[in-house]
Amino acid sequence: MYEPRADMRQNARVTTDSRGDYQELVDEISELLGAPATLENRDFELIAFGAYDSEGDLDPSVLDPVRTRSILTRRSTAAVRAWFEGFGITRARGPVRIPPTPEAGVYRGRTCLPVRHRGVVLGYVWLLDTEPGPTERQLAAAMEVTVRIGALLADEAQHGADLSRELRAVLTAERDWQRDMAVAELRTALGARADTPHAVVCVAPWPSAGPEDAPSVRTVPGATALCTVPWGAAGQSLALLVRLRSADVLTPATTAAGRLLERARSEGGTAGASGTAGAAGRRTGAVSGAAAGSIGATAGVAAGVSAPRTGLAELGAAWQEASAAARAARAESRFGPVAEWTSIGAFRLLTALPARSAHDPAVRALLSPAHRELARTAEVYLDRAGQAGRTAAELGIHRQTLYYRLSRVEQLTGLDLDDGEDRLLLHMALKAWGL
């Protein structure tokens, strides 16, 4: 039988250096019991799930809708919550057996391990039934792990894990002195954590019914604080402050961005939601230049990640970077679905321009719906550094057709495509239009 490592059995004080600790603890339970485990907070929002390798666990015929929804949407419905609480899990101090109930969508039985700290229930670890089931000794060892999980959840609550108001005040401040005051308040709330490396994530647009409609910070690995921020005329984006283990490694931020992106797609009904948790964090792969162009690109939900920072002094600038990266990912699929500020090239400058920059008089006629094909041709031509052969091949047209279209572009804009500044103006206007 698997034995927990001695150092993991010690009753050392649990810190909040990394929300990845949850994943490690859930994986430990999964390995200890030889069964897949999931961790939810007391509001039934998913925090982590174990990746125990069992062929049957991936079989759609044995996965029930309740667990599938929990993993994909990272939360359960109120009806599901009430049904499970009816088995006394809020009062239990040991494992609770839940029998299979197909009419309720529970096709497999499971065991609930309440997560408590000083007698207060803070969450639940769920185990799907396996054959043979865990022994009493194994369950007792798993309950010892839940004690460490409870201490971690309690530690976060004590240190102000929900800092939505403070973070929103920093990111929406209109004047420098207001931002300075907001940063000081957030720094006080974070204590020593304020001086650790971090990055900012933007997910936009966020499917939100209001400014307070945001997931719990405890459900996002590595998160220090999150909040919703206005996006566009009436929409919302989600802002996330993520702790980094090192200022040189953005992985915690990109991983968190992927999870939130998956949740946004699932809740907003956007095409492309993955069938397995965490898949949204993976890159979509190479796309053709024609498909990646901003003219005609389909703008859906995307995420951006700022450059790393240490301390909170440049938190406002980091948010601008994350927002710009998200805008670039929405405009150019080659950047997405999670774009890093350091990787969006010229869009670092383009996103800083006012919106009216895309409406330069010279290109106004070209950007009308009637000339969309010409605009796309011009953009691909400029993306390919004016190389006619590559452009024609990318667009699937004859060179003579390309030359005809480019002459029409010059006629409509009055620009000379042999002039470097004219080409720069046209290229910038086309990219800005995509934003």
Side-chain angles (χ1 to χ4, degrees):
M1 184 182 75
Y2 169 82
E3 290 291 343
R5 298 188 306 273
D7 62 315
M8 296 297 285
R9 291 197 298 266
Q10 293 176 354
N11 293 321
R13 178 181 181 273
V14 180
T15 68
T16 56
D17 287 343
S18 171
R19 200 64 49 83
D21 291 343
Y22 289 129
Q23 188 64 59
E24 294 171 7
L25 292 171
V26 171
D27 286 343
E28 183 180 348
I29 291 178
S30 295
E31 186 177 355
L32 174 64
L33 301 181
T38 58
L39 170 63
E40 296 177 336
N41 64 15
R42 60 187 169 194
D43 295 321
F44 282 54
E45 293 179 317
L46 184 67
I47 297 175
F49 64 96
Y52 180 76
D53 187 12
S54 175
E55 192 173 311
D57 296 329
L58 302 178
D59 185 350
S61 66
V62 296
L63 278 176
D64 59 48
V66 170
R67 185 170 190 265
T68 301
R69 174 185 170 84
S70 174
I71 291 177
L72 293 182
T73 67
R74 311 198 75 79
R75 66 173 63 182
S76 297
T77 66
V80 167
R81 173 178 176 175
W83 191 82
F84 280 113
E85 287 179 344
F87 288 89
I89 61 175
T90 60
R91 303 182 301 276
R93 297 185 177 275
V96 177
R97 175 80 171 83
I98 311 290
T101 311
E103 59 270 24
V106 181
Y107 296 157
R108 294 181 64 177
R110 63 252 284 142
T111 299
C112 175
L113 307 181
V115 176
R116 292 181 175 274
H117 183 74
R118 295 183 178 178
V120 178
V121 64
L122 300 179
Y124 308 99
V125 172
W126 298 94
L127 308 163
L128 291 178
D129 280 354
T130 57
E131 291 293 340
T135 65
E136 291 299 322
R137 182 182 177 188
Q138 287 176 304
L139 287 174
M143 285 300 297
E144 292 181 6
V145 180
T146 68
V147 173
R148 303 205 304 275
I149 296 175
L152 184 59
L153 287 168
D155 190 63
E156 285 185 346
Q158 180 180 355
H159 289 83
D162 186 5
L163 299 170
S164 296
R165 182 185 64 82
E166 290 83 353
L167 181 60
R168 186 182 298 111
V170 174
L171 303 185
T172 59
E174 296 181 355
R175 300 182 182 278
D176 290 343
W177 66 267
Q178 292 174 324
R179 180 172 291 106
D180 291 343
M181 290 182 62
V183 167
E185 186 174 357
L186 180 60
R187 182 181 291 111
T188 298
L190 289 173
R193 291 182 294 165
D195 297 321
T196 59
H198 66 264
V200 176
V201 171
C202 171
V203 181
W206 182 256
S208 173
E212 303 301 327
D213 188 13
S216 168
V217 71
R218 296 184 182 91
T219 65
V220 185
T224 294
L226 59 77
C227 66
T228 53
V229 178
W231 179 271
Q236 296 285 325
S237 61
L238 189 73
L240 175 70
L241 183 63
V242 185
R243 293 186 303 279
L244 304 177
R245 294 181 182 271
S246 165
D248 300 323
V249 180
L250 273 175
T251 303
T254 55
T255 299
R259 291 194 179 188
L260 288 169
L261 185 60
E262 179 183 83
R263 178 166 178 170
R265 285 174 166 173
S266 176
E267 295 185 4
T270 301
S274 171
T276 56
R282 296 192 293 266
R283 296 279 179 173
T284 56
V287 295
S288 69
S294 61
I295 299 298
T298 301
V301 61
V305 181
S306 74
R309 298 290 201 289
T310 298
L312 303 178
E314 298 182 5
L315 190 54
W319 169 243
Q320 294 301 320
E321 292 175 0
S323 301
R327 290 176 62 201
R330 297 183 74 226
E332 299 260 350
S333 58
R334 61 190 171 93
F335 291 138
V338 178
E340 298 176 16
W341 162 257
T342 55
S343 301
I344 61 174
F347 279 83
R348 295 199 292 266
L349 296 178
L350 288 169
T351 51
L353 298 175
R356 63 179 180 275
S357 301
H359 301 277
D360 188 272
V363 298
R364 188 172 297 148
L366 180 63
L367 294 175
S368 67
H371 300 303
R372 181 170 294 273
E373 186 177 59
L374 291 178
R376 187 167 185 75
T377 298
E379 184 176 17
V380 175
Y381 175 71
L382 295 169
D383 284 347
R384 300 297 169 263
Q387 297 182 35
R390 291 180 62 195
T391 304
E394 191 77 35
L395 295 173
I397 60 177
H398 194 275
R399 278 201 187 199
Q400 292 301 107
T401 302
L402 172 64
Y403 293 141
Y404 170 74
R405 290 184 184 179
L406 294 177
S407 67
R408 290 282 294 126
V409 169
E410 290 182 324
Q411 292 172 10
L412 284 169
T413 62
L415 299 174
D416 180 2
L417 293 181
D418 288 329
D419 182 272
E421 289 194 6
D422 281 3
R423 287 165 70 147
L424 177 60
L425 172 61
L426 178 59
H427 208 180
M428 290 179 64
L430 291 171
K431 293 300 185 184
W433 181 260
L435 291 171

